[in-house]
Amino acid sequence: MADDRIFVPLSLVSRLALAFDGAILGVVLACSAVRALLKHRSASSALSKIQSAPSISIGDLRSIISAEQSESSEEPLVVVRGTVGVKPVVEGGSWRSLKPHVLVSQESRDKAVIIQSMQTCIYSEWKGFFGWSCDVRAMLGESLNKQGSTSLRMVPFILVEGDQWLNVNLVGSKHPLPLTTVYHHVHPISASRYTFLQALFGHEYPVGLLDEEKILPLGKEISAVGICSFNDGVTEIKSCKELPYFLSELTKDQMVLDLAVGTKTLLWSGVVLGLISIGILGYAVVRNWNKWKQWRQQSQRQLPQPSYDAYDDDLEYLEETEVMDNELCVICLMRRRRSAFTPCGHLVCCPRCAQLVESASHAKCPVCCQKIRSSLRIYG
């Protein structure tokens, strides 16, 4: 049934893409190629920045920051690896207990600094006997078929290496977090009294509820790629918007390898899509140009032919009168030359043949091959 739901939208999309002999498909592929090349440019920039960023320990951060700030005013970009810990808080000269600042997972009872709880409603995928509204949802994707809620709780945390620690600043960061799934369960939903009618007419109805919980546990070893600085005498790292990573389970070498593969993939995909789009657009231009020329020739052929009723009396007279050979039409060799072409002025055709020559697509004089504008009837 799922194949039936996407058959009609896919057929409409394919017809639209192949319209104008594939011109629309060529434009879409060209836009995709440009987008891939722009992403390749940003990925290459991020790769060079991560490659040049030093991978140092937390204890050496102060000396690196001081040396970089003395040479330039810019804050240094570094790669630091450590384990997740709770940020220490000092009150009244003594270290306060860290327990109130640790989150506890409701499902796994693990201690964490970030807990993300998600609840998603799963809907039926059956179209029904009389349903057609699902085709619109299929064209827009499966995002409309799922609804849910997400809650995110977090506390300030640090990266620890031995007895040294680094404050992690997540303010303004939109990078993905290295969370671990600790709970994943689907709860079935009982059918209501209207479920049969909803299924019969193709209206989607909920069949299950998916509960997920992801955490960033204490003691997890992660890497931080960002800008280091001093904030109130505390070493702090914050995210860099130009980089695809901030907190990650990957090491620096794994990040570089991942970005290198990604940049090559984006480059070759952009080149291939660009070449394909050029070929399709070239084919579409040639095909549409030929169609336009054929249409123009057909429209010219379908022009109303001149009426020769006015010449009937004259033709009957000519047939009864003897005509010299040097006075015969050079085209039909039957009637007297009575039409002169302009601007060349050659008097070589009868009125009927002159009209036929004049109505041609490329009207030229049969003697001098000069382009003609019209013909004039000569009496006498």
Side-chain angles (χ1 to χ4, degrees):
M1 290 296 180
D3 295 337
D4 295 336
R5 291 181 57 186
I6 63 175
F7 176 74
V8 175
L10 285 181
S11 63
L12 294 176
V13 172
S14 62
R15 290 179 183 178
L16 180 62
L18 298 178
F20 303 103
D21 294 310
I24 295 180
L25 178 61
V27 172
V28 172
L29 291 178
C31 294
S32 300
V34 172
R35 184 179 179 183
L37 293 177
L38 292 177
K39 287 185 177 181
H40 167 263
R41 182 179 178 181
S42 60
S44 300
S45 176
L47 176 61
S48 62
K49 288 182 179 181
I50 293 180
Q51 283 180 331
S52 59
S55 180
I56 59 178
S57 61
I58 297 177
D60 298 332
L61 280 176
R62 290 181 176 272
S63 59
I64 292 293
I65 295 174
S66 301
E68 292 287 342
Q69 289 181 348
S70 61
E71 296 178 359
S72 63
S73 59
E74 296 182 357
E75 298 174 334
L77 179 69
V78 297
V79 181
V80 182
R81 192 164 182 86
T83 57
V84 177
V86 179
K87 182 179 180 180
V89 179
V90 179
E91 278 191 355
S94 62
W95 294 100
R96 194 174 61 178
S97 175
L98 302 180
K99 291 182 180 180
H101 297 275
V102 178
L103 301 177
V104 179
S105 171
Q106 296 180 357
E107 304 297 338
S108 63
R109 311 308 300 174
D110 293 332
K111 296 181 179 180
V113 292
I114 299 177
I115 297 180
Q116 184 182 37
S117 300
M118 295 179 293
Q119 191 175 67
T120 306
C121 190
I122 304 175
Y123 288 84
S124 66
E125 297 292 337
W126 188 39
K127 182 179 178 180
F129 292 107
F130 307 102
W132 55 268
S133 59
C134 298
D135 293 335
V136 179
R137 297 190 184 98
M139 293 179 64
L140 299 178
E142 296 182 358
S143 59
L144 294 180
N145 296 336
K146 294 183 179 180
Q147 298 178 358
S149 60
T150 303
S151 64
L152 184 66
R153 296 180 296 156
M154 63 177 63
V155 295
F157 65 96
I158 58 175
L159 291 182
V160 181
E161 184 183 20
D163 56 349
Q164 302 291 329
W165 57 276
L166 171 67
N167 186 31
V168 179
N169 187 357
L170 289 176
V171 178
S173 175
K174 296 183 180 179
H175 295 79
L177 298 172
L179 303 179
T180 303
T181 302
V182 295
Y183 183 73
H184 184 94
H185 186 69
V186 177
H187 306 280
I189 297 178
S190 301
S192 65
R193 64 180 68 180
Y194 304 107
T195 299
F196 175 75
L197 294 177
Q198 290 175 337
L200 183 65
F201 289 95
H203 295 283
E204 294 182 342
Y205 56 92
V207 296
L209 197 63
L210 175 62
D211 286 334
E212 288 184 291
E213 189 176 69
K214 298 181 179 181
I215 66 171
L216 182 60
L218 294 177
K220 184 176 183 178
E221 188 176 8
I222 60 174
S223 298
V225 185
I227 300 172
C228 271
S229 61
F230 286 118
N231 187 11
D232 296 332
V234 178
T235 310
E236 183 181 78
I237 189 169
K238 58 184 178 181
S239 63
C240 181
K241 296 181 180 179
E242 290 77 13
L243 299 181
Y245 303 106
F246 177 37
L247 302 177
S248 174
E249 299 176 355
L250 304 177
T251 62
K252 177 184 176 180
D253 295 336
Q254 292 173 338
M255 294 179 191
V256 170
L257 180 61
D258 186 41
L259 280 177
V261 173
T263 51
K264 289 182 180 179
T265 303
L266 289 172
L267 174 62
W268 285 109
S269 62
V271 171
V272 172
L273 289 175
L275 293 176
I276 294 175
S277 65
I278 291 174
I280 293 177
L281 289 175
Y283 171 78
V285 168
V286 173
R287 287 277 297 176
N288 285 281
W289 175 256
N290 292 333
K291 287 182 178 180
W292 180 81
K293 290 197 299 184
Q294 292 177 0
W295 172 82
R296 184 180 179 185
Q297 292 176 358
Q298 291 178 358
S299 62
Q300 290 177 349
R301 291 173 183 173
Q302 293 174 358
L303 291 175
Q305 298 295 331
S307 175
Y308 299 100
D309 296 338
Y311 307 135
D312 287 346
D313 297 339
D314 187 38
L315 293 176
E316 292 177 357
Y317 170 77
L318 291 174
E319 290 175 355
E320 298 175 356
T321 306
E322 184 179 357
V323 182
M324 301 298 292
D325 292 341
N326 59 352
E327 296 179 355
L328 290 175
C329 174
V330 298
I331 295 179
C332 66
L333 299 176
M334 295 175 58
R335 292 175 288 275
R336 189 186 299 272
R337 305 176 183 179
R338 287 186 176 276
S339 293
F341 296 114
T342 58
C344 64
H346 287 121
L347 180 63
V348 293
C349 293
C350 65
R352 178 175 293 184
C353 293
Q355 290 290 338
L356 293 174
V357 172
E358 186 180 353
S359 62
S361 59
H362 300 285
K364 294 182 180 179
C365 176
V367 176
C368 63
C369 296
Q370 184 179 353
K371 187 176 180 180
I372 62 176
R373 292 195 297 266
S374 63
S375 62
L376 300 175
R377 176 75 180 270
I378 305 298
Y379 296 92

